[in-house]
Amino acid sequence: MEKKLYPFKFIPVASRRPWGGSALVRDLGKKFVEADDEGNETVLGPDVLIGESWELADMGIEDSVVAEGWLAGNTIGELMETYLERIVGENVYNHYGRQFPLLIKFLDINDRLSVQVHPDDEVAAERYDSLGKAEIWYVMDAKEGARMYCGFTREVSAQEFYDRCKSGTVDEILNVIYPKKGDVIYITPGTVHAADGGLLIAEIQESSDMTFRLYDWGREFDPATARKMHLEEAIDVIDYNAFDFGLYRKGPLWGEEASHMPCHAHSCSCTDGCHCHEEGQECHCDEEGHECHCHDEGHECHCHEDDHCHHGAEEGGVVETLVESPQFNVTALHLSDPLHIYTEKFESFIVYICLEGAASIQVPSTKPNGEAYMENYEFAKGETILVPAELPDFYLVPRDRSTLLLEAVTRPADEVDDYIDLSTDAFLENEDYEGLEDGAFDEEPSAPKGSSPLNFFS
């Protein structure tokens, strides 16, 4: 009998960074262990500068290891090799192959994070045979005076940016955000960004470590602190426009200024009779979720007739969509009562990150004697859990009245080139196609099951 998969927790891995601090150990209770070449293990104390905790990573150079259950000790890469679409879902597997598509981290930015940028999927595939890197930052805590640098205050030229990186004046053109706890920023590929001053961040990103350092606040000029820089390599992947504030979502601590719509890149995706004609207009769904309307300051349209994934989620802030993007969808769940989650409706795996409180995932199961019971998988603040797509449904139960979770899924979509007119007849008049008109093109050849359309990790 085939064994059933279950929700996975992984052993976190510490990543030392010069800009890190002690918050991951002190505030999130992380216990990091490092082993030397002889296998001797050392527990890292709060005096070690740790910038990142890798929670779920399928990177080859760093693969997360299952912490509990009958698959404990296996890496996420080994799970993908063995269980394939049972882990991620058929659509995700057909798009990404055996590469798990997301990388989950916690960041402790105690000092200045280098000014950096990430490439998009197209550039990363062509040059490095890799995925690009879109990411979101959820601010779990922000000290007074903490800063996030995102994009530019105005449109700049590549030459000006290059010169300012070399002269140490690039901060004069960077857009500065003073974040508060609960803020969210969607960092699109091409957006120059950095941070400083005491930030604890939950990061969800594509499964890629493609980071180009552009400026390191002078550390690159000191042999004792210098790290490899990539300014020339990255100069043509940078978005030199002024920062798009639609990518920044202010949290509840902003009061009346708080945002209530998902982070979005400027575009309009209406399909049912809504058309934005005037420059600067966007579209979003009305209160009932059935119609689209254009507004001067709107957001992308993602209409649904009902909330079929979160049964029992009432309106009023229990479920908040934070980011909707081609790479991932991220939702905040404010749990006060149990939710019945139908995994099959997502057509994806689900990752939960606990930001506050604690929760348990309860999976309906049956004992050998036929008796029904619930398998219970608990996770608390600072922990991440992966629910495989194979599970048809489960209950998400709060164990603390202030429980807050991030929920991340991947829903790959087929892209159609803009220059292709799908309404055009495939055949010219008065030409002999030797019977090809009779349905030979009705079915397009597809990639082998489990391979990526972009040849990633196939």
Side-chain angles (χ1 to χ4, degrees), residues 190-201:
T191 299
V192 172
H193 59 284
D196 183 22
L199 287 164
L200 182 60
I201 288 173

Side-chain angles (χ1 to χ4, degrees), residues 21-23 25-26 43-50:
S22 59
V25 174
R26 183 186 65 246
V43 177
L44 300 183
D47 56 324
V48 178
L49 297 182
I50 302 173

